[in-house]
Amino acid sequence: MSGLDDVDATFEAGLRASYEWTNAEVWGEARYAFRGADGVGGEFGVNAVARPTPELELKLGPFATVASADYMDSYFGVSARESANTGFRVDAFDPGGGFKSVGIRGLARYEFRPTWFLNAKASYSKLVGDAADSPIVKFGSEDQFAFGLSISKRFSFDLF
């Protein structure tokens, strides 16, 4: 929207941990954002896991995202200056940290060559808390949809 500051390109570095059983997985990740946006964000969730063939793995489950106040301010905050720049069509807003969204995600991973994978994911999430209360969201939607395709390769390093 005209009058609001742009968020410059942002980089995120983080860690992910998961524990998987035969048909289930619990996972969580934490990331630190820097340059354009600042702050800490993360996700956690559970998945049902199915392996219909040795090459194909499917996962489906709920997840939630959380973020620090700094991170939320980068994407959902509106300063008094920005509010004035929009002709006061967007109220000033100072979000706090906490839950950002909740949703469901499906993932498919197909091993088409040894150590090479085709990955697809699709998700639906709904903004909650201060993210949903942001006046910026009124010009968009609390409902968020995402889809992604990627290719990955597994590497292994033998140290001993």
Side-chain angles (χ1 to χ4, degrees):
M1 164 169 266
S2 179
L4 298 178
D5 294 342
D6 291 333
V7 178
D8 293 332
T10 299
F11 299 92
E12 294 187 4
L15 298 171
R16 177 183 172 97
S18 65
Y19 186 82
E20 193 169 308
W21 297 271
T22 304
N23 295 312
E25 170 189 48
V26 295
W27 60 273
E29 61 186 48
R31 298 179 307 275
Y32 175 72
F34 55 97
R35 291 213 43 204
D38 291 310
V40 177
E43 293 186 23
F44 58 92
V46 297
N47 287 322
V49 179
R51 294 177 185 84
T53 69
E55 299 82 18
L56 180 62
E57 179 180 71
L58 305 170
K59 295 181 179 183
L60 179 68
F63 69 95
T65 63
V66 294
S68 67
D70 289 346
Y71 187 97
M72 295 281 271
D73 188 55
S74 297
Y75 292 105
F76 300 102
V78 180
S79 68
R81 178 188 53 77
E82 289 175 303
S83 178
N85 288 345
T86 67
F88 300 101
R89 289 180 296 147
V90 179
D91 294 331
F93 184 70
D94 185 21
F99 280 93
K100 185 180 100 177
S101 67
V102 294
I104 188 162
R105 178 180 298 138
L107 302 106
R109 180 175 166 164
Y110 179 71
E111 186 172 11
F112 61 92
R113 296 248 192 272
T115 72
W116 282 94
F117 303 90
L118 177 62
N119 309 288
K121 69 178 178 178
S123 67
Y124 163 77
S125 62
K126 186 166 190 72
L127 296 175
V128 296
D130 280 2
D133 294 340
S134 171
I136 295 170
V137 175
K138 294 178 182 130
F139 295 92
S141 176
E142 292 179 9
D143 299 308
Q144 305 289 299
F145 297 91
F147 178 76
L149 285 173
S150 65
I151 294 176
S152 59
K153 179 169 179 29
R154 179 176 32 230
F155 294 95
S156 64
F157 299 99
D158 294 327
L159 299 176
F160 301 100

